[in-house]
Amino acid sequence: TASVAGTASAAEVAAVLQPRLTFAPDELRAAEAAAQAEAAGSGVAAWQAVARTVTALQRLDCGHDAGVDGVTTAKEAELLNATEAILDAAAGGEPLAMSALGHMYLLGDPCSPKRNLTWATHWLEGAAAAGQPSALAMLGFLNESRALSRVYNFSYATPAALTARYPPAGGGAYAQGRALYEAALTSGGSVLASLALGSQYSNGFAGVAAS
């Protein structure tokens, strides 16, 4: 108030513009390191965090802007370790890991393995067979959109075992996609499945009446 009124002294102005530190920099760095270590947790927690990011269709932070070409940044090293843990967990049949690996191969994020549609569908199908929601939703999208054939000229059909487990009402790619979306919602929930079904029912397409 005093400075607005123009009555503040030079010392008062300096005190506002140059506040004293109320912490020691070394203590702050130590606190930040402790917080990062707690957030990172164990190796399992670290890969699960990466897997959840990928299956939520969010981009991974490679940390490229902080590094130099040809030099692996700390963030890249963390992601590499997490990806190796995901590979090991997926090979052991862990549903979230299988779904994450399928998403990685499908989307081809710069921080993850290169796009490989054969491996993508392999791991997504394995995760979907285990009832993993994000894998079910993504396979629903691939059925409904037929993106693999339209964009990549890649032939894909839902395995008979999944079709039998999640039978489409009426047959066809749209119906199969909707069955997988609904399975994703009842298996734990999926934002992608919710948006897709909401769009179908609000617009009255893909074989459903507007509601």
Side-chain angles (χ1 to χ4, degrees):
T1 303
S3 57
V4 172
T7 59
S9 67
E12 289 173 329
V13 171
V16 172
L17 298 180
Q18 298 178 345
R20 295 178 58 190
L21 291 176
T22 57
F23 57 86
D26 288 342
E27 293 175 359
L28 178 62
R29 283 191 286 269
E32 289 176 343
Q36 291 172 357
E38 182 178 357
S42 65
V44 172
W47 79 252
Q48 286 179 338
V50 171
R52 292 192 182 99
T53 298
V54 172
T55 55
L57 305 180
Q58 299 175 2
R59 294 291 299 272
L60 294 171
D61 178 13
C62 304
H64 286 316
D65 56 347
V68 179
D69 288 344
V71 177
T72 301
T73 66
K75 179 62 71 175
E76 287 174 315
E78 290 175 8
L79 285 174
L80 178 60
N81 291 335
T83 301
E84 290 177 349
I86 289 173
L87 283 165
D88 290 341
E94 210 290 326
L96 176 60
M98 289 192 290
S99 181
L101 202 54
H103 280 77
M104 286 177 169
Y105 279 121
L106 176 67
L107 302 176
D109 189 291
C111 305
S112 62
K114 292 183 178 180
R115 181 177 286 114
N116 185 310
L117 300 180
T118 300
W119 280 114
T121 52
H122 168 80
W123 289 114
L124 287 173
E125 289 168 0
Q132 210 285 327
S134 61
L136 287 165
M138 181 53 73
L139 287 181
F141 170 77
L142 295 180
N143 273 274
E144 178 193 359
S145 67
R146 286 167 281 186
L148 294 182
S149 61
R150 290 174 172 172
V151 179
Y152 301 107
N153 195 29
F154 181 86
S155 178
Y156 175 74
T158 303
L162 282 179
T163 300
R165 182 172 180 179
Y166 307 109
Y174 284 133
Q176 184 64 74
R178 187 163 60 255
L180 292 168
Y181 287 145
E182 291 170 347
L185 295 181
T186 58
S187 298
S190 160
V191 173
L192 173 59
S194 296
L195 288 172
L197 287 175
S199 177
Q200 289 183 8
Y201 282 105
S202 64
N203 294 287
F205 70 94
V208 300
S211 174

